[in-house]
Amino acid sequence: MLDFSSLLLAAALSGTCLSITMLAIWFTAPRARFVLTVACGILVLVAHVVLFWQYTKEPNPWLCEAVLVLLSLGFLIICMSAMQYLGVGNHGRVVLPTLAAMAACAAFTYLGFDGIGFQITYATVTALLAAIGTMFWMKGDHDRRILLVVSFLSGACGVSFALCGLVLLFHGQWILGAAPDNWAERLNSVVAVACMTGLGALTLSLHHLQAQIELKAETMTDPLTGLMNRRALSELYGDRSFGPFMAVAMFDLDHFKATNDVFGHPVGDQVLCRFAAVIKKYGRTGVDAFRLGGEEFALVMSRVTPEKAHDWASRIGVAFGTEIVPTHRGPLRSSVSGGMGFGAADGRTLDEVLAEADAALYAAKRGGRNRVVVQKEAGQPDAGPTLRSA
């Protein structure tokens, strides 16, 4: 059976290999900053284990303080990496209490109560691991199987540290003068090595999962305007049944080819981005915007009446008419034409609603542009009035 020193060295070796793996991953994918943070946290824990091993051989008050500080700091950094990955802000909620606990630990250890220092540190680490497990349990919106395993491993590791502190508390060991050595410490060494190895492997899985999500987002996003693209429209609504409270507005910028020919494509890109910005400004829950290609855009609206949907599309057209793009030939103001398509009580497909909106859009073009057209019951388009713009 391995002795306590061998367990510590095994933990240090395992942590070193994990941190090297994490750093290698980060070098190949610098955008995955949480992987770098994990690697830094593990390296700090490796330094803690090495110093703790030294402390078991040659007890020293200053070495004891360094050991305890590194243990809390390492898990604090790992907790911050979890917040990075999950997009949880306000790191001060974790950093400030941990720093306060580290200061209290240093004070008690300096006064000779190293046993209390160990208890404070174990309690701090337990709280940090509990926070990691809770965040992944509550905040994760990706593969639940991976996130639940992360929560379980964090919880198991936290319990092992809690047992170390409870053993010291139960025996009233306020002053130790040496490294604690009991069944809880030995159990903690085994559990910590197993859990940290598992968490390291899961970090690789989380990195791979995040990379897949980012890649999918890139393939479904128009790089110029930041709106979703035609592929995203098919992914999100291709299999949906459009009911009576769903609508699609299709937009086409008026005389856009002439804009490119006269003012140049960079100005044309600015016009496209201005229209996308107007759509985003009028965005709300239940409204998804897409750039279908070129100067064509679509707006899918849910939980709206036909009248409200038409009014919404008209407001977007009016707002775009007020946008001015500066050019070398002077200020440029553009307009947009739109067509509406609606769902039905018995449900309609995306293609059917798009076809209706497309027909209405062409009617808007033929009717003089700068307007939003609604198809009438009889199938004839209602050209509607020209959009007023200031």
Side-chain angles (χ1 to χ4, degrees), residues 159-182:
V159 169
S160 70
F161 277 103
L163 288 175
C164 292
L166 289 174
V167 168
L168 296 178
L169 180 63
F170 179 78
H171 292 291
Q173 294 179 289
W174 319 121
I175 301 175
L176 296 174
D181 187 4
N182 52 57

Side-chain angles (χ1 to χ4, degrees), residues 224-225 256-274 291 325-328 332:
L224 176 63
T225 63
F256 186 71
K257 184 179 183 302
T259 298
N260 278 333
D261 292 342
V262 174
F263 297 96
H265 288 279
V267 172
D269 289 346
Q270 290 186 52
V271 173
L272 292 172
C273 291
R274 288 292 181 93
R291 182 188 177 196
V325 176
T327 74
H328 63 284
L332 171 65

Side-chain angles (χ1 to χ4, degrees), residues 29-338:
R31 291 172 58 184
R33 288 176 299 208
F34 84 99
V35 175
L36 175 62
T37 309
V38 171
C40 292
I42 292 176
L43 283 175
V44 172
L45 292 177
V46 168
H48 153 77
V49 171
V50 172
L51 290 182
F52 188 71
W53 175 79
Q54 181 65 28
Y55 183 64
T56 61
K57 304 296 182 182
E58 301 176 8
N60 179 287
W62 295 107
L63 193 56
C64 179
E65 290 207 17
V67 164
L68 297 178
V69 166
L70 289 175
L71 182 60
S72 295
L73 181 61
F75 279 103
L76 172 61
I77 295 174
I78 290 178
C79 184
M80 293 176 67
S81 74
M83 298 175 76
Q84 253 182 328
Y85 178 77
L86 296 172
V88 179
N90 195 4
H91 291 184
R93 291 180 299 175
V94 173
V95 174
L96 295 179
T98 303
L99 292 179
M102 291 168 63
C105 171
F108 278 106
T109 304
Y110 178 77
L111 295 173
F113 295 96
D114 55 340
I116 296 179
F118 272 96
Q119 293 176 43
I120 293 175
T121 300
Y122 289 147
T124 303
V125 171
T126 300
L128 289 170
L129 287 166
I132 293 172
T134 301
M135 284 189 294
F136 274 98
W137 181 278
M138 300 295 294
K139 294 286 186 180
D141 56 356
H142 306 321
D143 193 324
R144 296 300 302 174
R145 293 168 297 179
I146 296 177
L147 301 180
L148 290 177
V149 174
V150 172
S151 296
F152 171 77
L153 291 178
S154 299
C157 194
V159 169
S160 70
F161 277 103
L163 288 175
C164 292
L166 289 174
V167 168
L168 296 178
L169 180 63
F170 179 78
H171 292 291
Q173 294 179 289
W174 319 121
I175 301 175
L176 296 174
D181 187 4
N182 52 57
W183 65 269
E185 293 286 342
R186 295 174 183 273
L187 176 65
N188 173 257
S189 298
V190 176
V191 172
V193 170
C195 289
M196 294 308 296
T197 301
L199 288 172
L202 288 172
T203 300
L204 300 180
S205 298
L206 291 173
H207 165 64
H208 179 66
L209 182 62
Q210 186 181 56
Q212 285 184 318
I213 293 171
E214 291 177 351
L215 178 61
K216 184 176 181 179
E218 289 177 359
T219 59
M220 295 178 66
T221 302
D222 173 53
L224 176 63
T225 63
L227 299 178
M228 290 182 283
N229 57 20
R230 184 182 290 272
R231 177 177 179 176
L233 177 62
S234 298
E235 289 275 347
L236 294 176
Y237 292 99
D239 298 327
R240 290 279 298 273
S241 175
F242 282 69
F245 296 102
M246 293 187 69
V248 172
M250 288 188 65
F251 296 99
D252 188 278
L253 302 190
D254 296 330
H255 305 294
F256 186 71
K257 184 179 183 302
T259 298
N260 278 333
D261 292 342
V262 174
F263 297 96
H265 288 279
V267 172
D269 289 346
Q270 290 186 52
V271 173
L272 292 172
C273 291
R274 288 292 181 93
F275 183 69
V278 170
I279 288 182
K280 293 175 184 176
K281 180 180 178 181
Y282 279 82
R284 63 171 179 80
T285 303
V287 176
D288 290 321
F290 306 85
R291 182 188 177 196
L292 302 183
E295 68 272 26
E296 291 187 337
F297 296 80
L299 204 64
V300 178
M301 293 169 274
S302 304
R303 300 187 296 276
V304 293
T305 62
E307 294 77 13
K308 182 66 176 178
H310 180 259
D311 178 64
W312 203 267
S314 298
R315 289 188 182 189
I316 289 175
V318 170
F320 178 62
T322 66
E323 294 288 323
I324 298 176
V325 176
T327 74
H328 63 284
R329 291 175 173 266
L332 171 65
R333 180 177 289 181
S334 304
S335 64
V336 64
S337 299

